[in-house]
Amino acid sequence: MLMITTPGATEAPALRRPEAPSRTGPALVAAVLFVLHCAFALRNHARFRTTGYDLGIFGQAVRSWAEGRLPASEIRTATAPAGFGGEALPLLGDHFHPVLALLGPVYRLVPHVEVLLVAQAALVAVAVYVTGRTARAHLPGRPFAGPLVGVACGLAWGTQTLIGFDFHEVAFALPPLALACRAYLDGRLRAAAWWAAALLLVKEDLGATAAVFGLLIAHRARGLGDRRGRRAGWLLAGGSVLAAALVLKVVIPAFAPDGRYLYAEQVGGAYGLLDGWPVKALTVLALLAVTGGLVVRSPLAWLLLPTLAWRFTSSVPSHWEPGLHYSAVLVPVAFAALVDAVRRGARPPVPGLRGAGAPLLVPLGAALALLPLQPTAQLATPGFWRESPREAAARAAVELVPDGVRVAASNTLAPHLTDRTVVRLAAPGLLDRDPAVEWLVADRLDGFPAGAVDGALREAAADPGWRVVREEAGIVLLTRAR
């Protein structure tokens, strides 16, 4: 059975901040990864591999903020609660992510959904840089600690799954988590509390992580005799619990069309708790692999439990697996815990790897070994850069849709229209919802939601008011006769 080190065990002293030259390695790693992640994300979007769920939804949310409105999404109405008849679903009634407002001014200057993809790559790069600096500061006897940890962090499967699947608000959690862990290891406990408090603005489930961080800060402050740090820790723990309760019980229900928090039903059931343990075990093993098993040797490992707890008690099987973006928030914590464990003298339980560099080489080796299976590995394949006839047909169809119209689009085409039109997801029953859409563009092979494209095309074919403008390579463009 795995054991997590308790907060009071073998405290390592805080070290001096590194001098300016030590920033070069982590900064270079972060810059290279930023370029690679941007190249992948932008090209992946250009290939019509991004989707309305979720890039299109977040694109509409950021566009709302840029226009001075609370975030709402027309695409999200495709899976809205029963009885909802509005044109756009209030997104603060779905998830609590006011941090997205930070992208509003940027989107106003550059009104393109690609801004979200670049911002996500930048947020990951900041977390990689901070984590590399943490390693350099707290492992001074290992001159390459910063670059090695930075590379392993940026290539870890949790980071790669975030970059590989559209955009998600959890990207905003990575820099504050990395900064909070750095401040905690430095002994700057009040700064750690402030950075952890920022998680409350990212997503509702991160309130539990902030509360656990508050307990860790209070415990360590007690051992250091830091009364102000201890008070900050208790304030963070208590304030996070109250804030999470307020968000889940008051704020989200106030915006939700049916007055309730939709995802409460997914967590805590017997099915979610008892089923799927082979998949859950794989997720835990993958998490251990990226740190050579040393993540459990640091008190910071307690910060992993809230996220793993809600995922493993969820009734949604996709929450259990390591293949989606849900693991991204675990990465900066896991690597900060690795640094903490190594400075305490821990070594990976791997025969023949007991040298001074082994604790960092094992995680790097694990990240590199898994890299061919990660989304960004496609950068090295010629087909990734070659436009197929289907992509060319999709691009031509999308470009024919006029600005400012209401359009129903299939999942893979929707994010290419959110910047200049009002987009709904092509699905049966949505074509004639008031106000009615004027254009329909669909990929016949698009399978999400199941049967939605076929149903929408059948409805349009049965209505003499619709006519086909273009059809090529399975991409269909129709318009409604005025």
Side-chain angles (χ1 to χ4, degrees):
M1 184 175 181
L2 295 174
M3 300 295 293
I4 298 178
T5 303
T6 57
T10 321
E11 287 288 355
L15 301 177
R16 293 184 306 162
R17 293 186 180 184
E19 297 178 359
S22 66
R23 300 176 182 176
T24 304
L28 182 60
V29 169
V32 171
L33 287 172
F34 171 71
V35 172
L36 290 177
H37 289 162
C38 279
F40 170 82
L42 294 175
R43 177 59 189 151
N44 199 50
H45 177 66
R47 297 177 70 219
F48 293 87
R49 298 302 195 272
T50 55
T51 57
Y53 276 68
D54 293 313
L55 180 60
I57 292 174
F58 284 113
Q60 290 177 331
V62 172
R63 181 178 174 180
S64 298
W65 284 117
E67 295 174 351
R69 299 180 287 111
L70 290 177
S73 171
E74 292 82 7
I75 294 174
R76 182 65 177 80
T77 60
T79 52
F84 177 76
E87 184 175 13
L89 187 78
L91 291 178
L92 291 179
D94 187 42
H95 287 299
F96 186 72
H97 39 49
V99 71
L100 291 178
L102 295 177
L103 293 180
V106 182
Y107 186 91
R108 193 173 182 86
L109 293 174
V110 187
H112 298 287
V113 75
E114 289 87 348
V115 163
L116 280 68
L117 300 175
V118 174
Q120 182 166 260
L123 291 166
V124 169
V126 171
V128 167
Y129 171 72
V130 173
T131 303
R133 290 269 289 152
T134 300
R136 180 64 183 89
H138 291 278
L139 302 175
R142 297 171 173 84
F144 296 104
L148 288 177
V149 170
V151 170
C153 179
L155 298 182
W157 56 271
T159 307
Q160 292 293 296
T161 53
L162 176 65
I163 295 294
F165 180 51
D166 289 14
F167 168 91
H168 296 90
E169 72 276 72
V170 295
F172 279 95
L174 271 61
L177 275 170
L179 288 163
C181 290
R182 167 68 189 272
Y184 176 86
L185 296 181
D186 288 348
R188 298 179 289 112
L189 301 183
R190 284 181 293 158
W194 278 111
W195 285 118
L199 299 175
L200 299 173
L201 301 177
V202 177
K203 200 177 178 185
E204 65 275 4
D205 61 276
L206 290 171
T209 301
V212 172
F213 214 141
L215 296 177
L216 286 179
I217 290 171
H219 192 282
R220 188 172 186 200
R222 180 181 179 182
L224 296 175
D226 182 355
R227 295 178 61 184
R228 298 175 70 182
R230 187 180 182 188
R231 183 165 58 249
W234 282 116
L235 285 173
L236 174 63
S240 298
V241 171
L242 291 175
L246 181 66
V247 166
L248 294 173
K249 297 295 185 181
V250 179
V251 177
I252 292 180
F255 285 99
D258 55 356
R260 63 192 181 94
Y261 178 51
L262 173 65
Y263 305 99
E265 301 173 354
Q266 298 178 355
V267 178
Y271 173 77
L273 179 62
L274 301 178
D275 205 8
W277 277 102
V279 177
K280 296 171 184 177
L282 178 63
T283 299
V284 173
L285 289 174
L287 182 60
L288 293 174
V290 298
T291 62
L294 298 183
V295 63
V296 296
R297 301 293 297 275
S298 167
L300 290 173
W302 290 102
L303 298 176
L304 305 175
L305 297 185
T307 297
L308 293 176
W310 78 257
R311 290 175 60 186
F312 288 177
T313 58
S314 171
S315 60
V316 180
S318 62
H319 291 160
W320 309 337
E321 63 184 61
L324 292 177
H325 62 280
Y326 303 109
S327 295
V329 297
L330 305 177
V331 174
V333 174
F335 279 94
L338 168 67
V339 171
D340 186 31
V342 173
R343 73 171 184 167
R344 295 167 184 268
R347 294 290 184 271
V350 180
L353 288 174
R354 310 295 293 179
L360 304 182
L361 293 177
V362 170
L364 179 61
L368 293 176
L370 294 173
L371 187 59
L373 306 176
Q374 303 302 340
T376 51
Q378 297 176 61
L379 287 167
T381 61
F384 184 74
W385 302 98
R386 190 181 302 122
E387 183 171 76
S388 69
R390 192 176 198 83
E391 293 163 15
R395 194 174 321 283
V398 166
E399 290 175 352
L400 288 175
V401 177
D403 293 352
V405 300
R406 286 182 170 83
V407 55
S410 60
N411 195 37
T412 54
L413 304 180
H416 293 265
L417 290 161
T418 56
D419 297 329
R420 58 187 183 86
T421 66
V422 178
V423 187
R424 296 178 188 167
L425 205 63
L430 290 181
L431 295 184
D432 294 319
R433 179 181 290 180
D434 290 331
V437 297
E438 304 156 89
W439 290 77
L440 169 63
V441 58
D443 182 345
R444 291 187 181 275
L445 295 184
D446 204 324
F448 180 86
V453 170
D454 289 340
L457 290 176
R458 280 196 303 269
E459 285 188 2
D463 185 344
W466 287 94
R467 66 177 180 87
V468 176
V469 176
R470 174 188 175 89
E471 182 170 5
E472 181 182 351
I475 309 297
V476 186
L477 175 65
L478 302 94
T479 186
R480 189 191 298 268
R482 294 184 181 277

